[in-house]
Amino acid sequence: MKTTKATKSTPVKPVAKKAAKKAAKKATATTGKTTGVTKKATAASKKVAAAKTATKKAAPAKTVAKKAAPAQAAPKTAIVESQAALVRRARRINRELAEVYPYAHPELDFENPFQLVIATVLSAQTTDLRVNQTTPGLFAKYPTPEDLAAANPEEVEEILRPTGFFRAKTKSVIGLSKALVEDFGGEVPGRLEDLVKLPGVGRKTAFVVLGNAFGRPGITVDTHFGRLVRRWQWTDETDPDKVEAAVGALFPKSEWTMLSHHVIFHGRRICHARKPACGACPIAPLCPAYGEGETDPEKARKLLKYEKGGFPGQRLNPPQSYLDAGGIPAPPLGAG
């Protein structure tokens, strides 16, 4: 019986052979497809390689284009110049600005050193215009250091409210007045080392007072001054004391005070922070940053501020030279 079963199972072998043949055909077909895909992939690879070769050959044209770009953006490129060349360019800019703003002056109203030091302290974080609109009421009520030193803080705060940070400013001006009375006989000192000891008085405030109340040269590094001297590449410093030192080395000491006025006037009127009126700038040929703002002359003229654009300046009581040049006084607080 075992032999019979073995004899009956032998026909299975031809079926296996047929299955093997079918599997071989499928494998051959698959191999053919794979070979076709491989050929297509190879052809695609050749095309990609050809494209890369073409790109490499064309690369010099792109490189030339990249090298040409800085020439168009040259105004924003750092100028390489000797110290002597920098001094000549800086002094020429100041001379040009002196011709444009012969009436440049401090834009805080004051009649004496005490009023100037108080006004300068109040000008922090606000405009000179707002200070000028506020100080008439302050000085009418407290005309001397003795008066302000003895003032009721709450009453002073109410007067100074329009200038912002009025509580801190009240503390500063009352403390400053007390220091003047107690340490300097009620007089504003005329020395830098004494001024910076007063509450709320730093080097910037001290130089404003020294230059404009005592006629002693000083450089006033405010936001306008710092912005412009960096645009002009006189220095890349951002610390006010370092800016003062770097710029001071470019000019005779006798020019420092008026230099400050020229630069600040220009920063407020033409070389604005966000939209410089490059097309209306008298020193455009000397400026490395030309092109950062509007270069079209007509559009640039529309950006001008203060007297050049027919708008009021910062002072309610400006110098006569400013009025003679077409300057317009600022309106008092609440006017208009």
Side-chain angles (χ1 to χ4, degrees):
M1 296 208 38
K2 288 181 181 179
T3 304
T4 305
K5 286 181 180 178
T7 304
K8 287 182 179 179
S9 61
T10 51
V12 177
K13 290 182 178 179
V15 175
K17 287 181 180 179
K18 290 180 180 180
K21 287 181 180 180
K22 288 182 179 179
K25 287 181 180 180
K26 286 183 180 179
T28 302
T30 303
T31 303
K33 288 180 181 178
T34 304
T35 303
V37 172
T38 303
K39 288 180 179 179
K40 289 180 180 179
T42 302
S45 298
K46 288 181 179 178
K47 289 181 180 179
V48 171
K52 286 183 177 179
T53 303
T55 302
K56 287 180 180 178
K57 289 180 180 179
K62 291 186 177 180
T63 304
V64 171
K66 285 183 179 178
K67 288 182 179 178
Q72 297 175 356
K76 297 181 182 179
T77 303
I79 290 180
V80 179
E81 59 186 345
S82 66
Q83 182 67 12
L86 172 59
V87 169
R88 286 195 297 270
R89 183 169 62 87
R91 293 185 181 183
R92 184 177 172 189
I93 286 175
N94 188 39
R95 289 195 298 272
E96 296 283 347
L97 294 180
E99 292 183 8
V100 178
Y101 311 111
Y103 47 79
H105 56 271
E107 294 193 270
L108 288 169
D109 283 325
F110 70 99
E111 296 178 356
N112 54 57
F114 172 64
Q115 291 187 359
L116 180 57
V117 71
I118 293 295
T120 308
V121 169
L122 295 179
S123 68
Q125 305 298 319
T126 190
T127 63
D128 287 355
L129 171 60
R130 184 50 55 93
V131 173
N132 291 336
Q133 292 173 327
T134 304
T135 50
L138 179 71
F139 295 140
K141 191 168 186 177
Y142 310 106
T144 67
E146 290 80 4
D147 295 324
L148 193 51
N152 181 332
E154 292 183 357
E155 293 179 0
V156 176
E157 285 179 4
E158 195 57 34
I159 295 174
L160 300 185
R161 186 180 294 272
T163 67
F165 303 97
F166 57 91
R167 291 190 179 89
K169 290 180 179 180
T170 294
K171 184 177 180 181
S172 292
V173 298
I174 290 179
L176 187 158
S177 299
K178 287 180 178 179
L180 291 177
V181 172
E182 295 171 3
D183 301 331
F184 300 99
E187 299 292 331
V188 176
R191 299 194 311 163
L192 175 64
E193 54 268 37
D194 293 330
L195 284 168
V196 295
K197 294 177 183 178
L198 298 172
V201 177
R203 288 178 68 87
K204 169 193 163 185
T205 298
F207 281 130
V208 170
V209 175
L210 289 173
N212 299 288
F214 293 99
R216 296 175 183 173
I219 293 177
T220 303
V221 183
D222 69 352
T223 55
H224 301 287
F225 191 95
R227 181 180 74 251
L228 267 61
V229 298
R230 283 188 289 273
R231 276 182 177 169
W232 297 336
Q233 295 181 16
W234 291 2
T235 179
D236 57 2
E237 298 289 353
T238 56
D239 178 78
D241 291 351
K242 292 180 179 179
V243 171
E244 174 198 324
V247 175
L250 303 177
F251 295 88
K253 194 172 182 180
S254 59
E255 295 182 13
W256 287 358
T257 299
M258 287 308 298
L259 168 70
S260 300
H261 293 328
H262 296 153
V263 175
I264 293 170
F265 257 59
H266 191 62
R268 283 177 168 167
R269 287 153 176 77
I270 294 179
C271 196
H272 314 135
R274 294 184 181 179
K275 290 184 178 180
C278 294
C281 181
I283 60 165
L286 302 170
C287 181
Y290 177 81
E292 285 188 9
E294 180 57 64
T295 57
D296 180 84
E298 290 300 322
K299 293 180 180 179
R301 273 192 283 273
K302 294 179 181 179
L303 299 175
L304 301 184
K305 296 181 179 179
Y306 306 129
E307 73 281 351
K308 296 292 182 181
F311 299 105
Q314 299 274 290
R315 293 184 66 164
L316 278 67
N317 299 299
Q320 188 60 45
S321 59
Y322 177 78
L323 299 175
D324 292 342
I328 303 172
L333 191 65

